Amino acid sequence: MNVTRIDLKSHVRTVPDWPAPGVQFRDITPLLQDAQLLREVVERLASRYRDPALRPDRVAGLDARGFIVGAALAYALGLGFVPIRKQGKLPFRTIAETYELEYGSATLELHTDAVAPGERVLLVDDLIATGGTMMAGKRLLERLGAEVVEAAAIVDLPELGGADRLRAAGLPVHCLMSFGGH
Amino acid sequence: MNVTRIDLKSHVRTVPDWPAPGVQFRDITPLLQDAQLLREVVERLASRYRDPALRPDRVAGLDARGFIVGAALAYALGLGFVPIRKQGKLPFRTIAETYELEYGSATLELHTDAVAPGERVLLVDDLIATGGTMMAGKRLLERLGAEVVEAAAIVDLPELGGADRLRAAGLPVHCLMSFGGH
C-alpha cells in the first residue's frame, strides 16, 4: 500500500484543439515518461487483475498506445501479450473487423493463433472515447472463442459514451481516471 | 540464472513473401503472446541494463512494435518510457526526422519534453534491418541533448547492415538473436 497516493490525473496533459479544433486531447505521455508515474499506472492496474476472480489468461493491447500500457501490464502480471493491429501490419493469418469513425471507417486485425478458445482475455487501450476500437477488439477476440473479461484503460471520456456502450454490450470497463466536460 | 536456457529463436515465426515477394518476415508475435517467452525476452534485456555501467535513465521505443518490448522493459527496469512516433501522432510540441525507405521516406516525431539534456537513453525496437528507423530515433534524442547509450532489439538481420551502420555512427547495438541468409 502507498502511504501517499499519487495524483495521476494531474499529470495528464490537456492539449487544446488537437487533432481538430474544439477537441481537448488528453495526452498520457507525461505519465509514461516518468518512472514513478509509469510504475504507479501499471501497478494500479496489475493489483486489480492479480485478484484471482479477475485475473485473465492473456492481455490484448490495441494499436498503438494500448501496446505501451498493455505490454507493461502483461509483463507485470506474468502473462503473454497479444497485439491487435491496424490493417496490413500482421504477417500471419488474420481475421479483421471494420468499425465506423466520425469520418469513414477503420479496420483492426488479429492473428488467428493469438488466443485459444475459452481463454479469458483482458483488453487494454490508453483511453476510451466512443468505445468503437474496444468493441472491434472484443469482436475479434470473441470470434476466436475467447472471453473478454474486461476493457481497461488509463482515461475514460464518459461524455462520449464509450464505457456505457461497452457495458451495455456485456463488457465490464475499468479506467484509472475520467475527464468530463470541456 | 536459468538452469535450462529457453531457445527464443525457435519461437520466431518466419512468414515467407511478406510484406513483399522474396522477403522472409521474422514475426515475433509468438514470443510476445506466450507468458514464459515474453518474460524471458524482457528479463534477458533487463538483466543487461541493470548493470550500473549500462543502466540508462530512460527507455525510448519506436512506433509501434518497439512500444511492446520497450514499455515492458522500462517497467522491469523501473524507468520511464518515451514513445517515438510516426508523423502526426504526438499532440504536443514535437521535433521531426525524415529518413529514406526502399521506396519513398518516413518521418518520426518526438515530444520536445520527452527527455532532458544529458540523459542516458536506451533506444528499443523489435528488429534491426537497415537501421534507418533506429538512426532517426538516435538523431531525435540527440537533438534534445540526450545520449543514446545503446540500440536494443529482439532480432537483428545482419545481412541488411543496420547494426553495422549504427555501430559505425557510434551507437552500440545489442540484439537477442540474429537471422542470416534466406
Side-chain angles (χ1 to χ4, degrees):
Chain A
M1 296 287 291
N2 292 315
V3 176
T4 51
R5 186 145 172 105
I6 297 173
D7 177 14
L8 292 176
K9 192 172 172 180
S10 69
H11 295 278
V12 173
R13 174 165 50 203
T14 298
V15 180
D17 300 317
W18 198 92
V23 177
Q24 309 292 309
F25 188 83
R26 311 300 181 172
D27 174 19
I28 61 159
T29 61
L31 286 179
L32 304 173
Q33 71 197 36
D34 179 273
Q36 188 185 14
L37 298 176
L38 177 62
R39 173 159 294 270
E40 181 76 10
V41 164
V42 176
E43 276 306 313
R44 281 197 201 172
L45 291 170
S47 67
R48 176 174 178 82
Y49 299 107
R50 285 192 190 107
D51 177 341
L54 288 173
R55 184 176 168 85
D57 297 313
R58 217 179 293 263
V59 176
L62 289 156
D63 196 343
R65 282 185 293 260
F67 292 178
I68 301 173
V69 194
L73 179 59
Y75 174 78
L77 290 169
L79 299 173
F81 176 80
V82 166
I84 297 176
R85 297 224 54 181
K86 289 165 189 162
Q87 191 166 32
K89 299 289 185 180
L90 288 172
F92 190 59
R93 287 187 292 273
T94 57
I95 55 173
E97 284 280 342
T98 297
Y99 62 103
E100 300 305 310
L101 298 174
E102 192 177 3
Y103 302 103
S105 65
T107 297
L108 291 178
E109 293 181 342
L110 178 63
H111 272 159
T112 54
D113 70 341
V115 296
E119 275 188 0
R120 293 160 47 84
V121 179
L122 175 66
L123 187 54
V124 177
D125 205 352
D126 65 322
L127 181 143
I128 299 180
T130 67
T133 317
M134 285 282 202
M135 196 71 84
K138 175 182 191 283
R139 287 197 301 268
L140 285 169
L141 291 161
E142 288 178 347
R143 281 172 60 191
L144 298 181
E147 177 193 356
V148 184
V149 292
E150 194 152 273
I154 298 176
V155 173
D156 183 27
L157 303 179
E159 291 185 345
L160 298 180
D164 286 345
R165 263 178 222 115
L166 295 169
R167 290 188 181 111
L171 179 59
V173 173
H174 178 73
C175 297
L176 296 183
M177 67 187 75
S178 68
F179 286 89
H182 289 219
Chain B
M1 295 289 289
N2 293 315
V3 176
T4 52
R5 186 144 172 107
I6 297 173
D7 177 14
L8 292 176
K9 191 172 173 179
S10 68
H11 294 278
V12 173
R13 173 164 53 203
T14 297
V15 180
D17 299 318
W18 197 92
V23 177
Q24 309 291 309
F25 188 83
R26 310 301 180 172
D27 175 18
I28 60 159
T29 61
L31 286 179
L32 304 174
Q33 71 197 37
D34 179 273
Q36 189 184 13
L37 298 176
L38 177 62
R39 173 159 294 271
E40 181 77 10
V41 164
V42 176
E43 276 305 314
R44 281 198 201 171
L45 291 171
S47 67
R48 175 173 178 82
Y49 298 107
R50 284 191 192 108
D51 177 340
L54 288 173
R55 184 175 169 85
D57 297 313
R58 221 181 287 264
V59 176
L62 289 156
D63 197 344
R65 282 185 292 261
F67 292 178
I68 301 173
V69 194
L73 180 58
Y75 175 78
L77 291 169
L79 298 174
F81 175 80
V82 167
I84 298 177
R85 296 223 57 182
K86 290 165 190 162
Q87 192 168 31
K89 298 290 186 180
L90 288 172
F92 190 57
R93 286 187 293 272
T94 58
I95 54 174
E97 284 280 342
T98 297
Y99 62 103
E100 300 305 309
L101 299 173
E102 192 177 3
Y103 302 104
S105 65
T107 298
L108 291 178
E109 294 181 341
L110 178 63
H111 272 159
T112 54
D113 70 342
V115 296
E119 276 188 359
R120 293 162 46 84
V121 179
L122 175 66
L123 188 54
V124 178
D125 206 352
D126 65 322
L127 182 143
I128 298 179
T130 67
T133 317
M134 285 283 203
M135 197 70 86
K138 175 181 190 284
R139 287 197 301 268
L140 285 169
L141 291 161
E142 288 177 347
R143 282 172 59 190
L144 298 181
E147 179 194 356
V148 184
V149 293
E150 193 151 272
I154 299 177
V155 174
D156 183 28
L157 303 179
E159 292 185 345
L160 298 180
D164 286 345
R165 263 179 222 114
L166 295 170
R167 290 187 182 108
L171 180 59
V173 173
H174 178 73
C175 297
L176 296 182
M177 66 187 75
S178 68
F179 286 90
H182 290 216

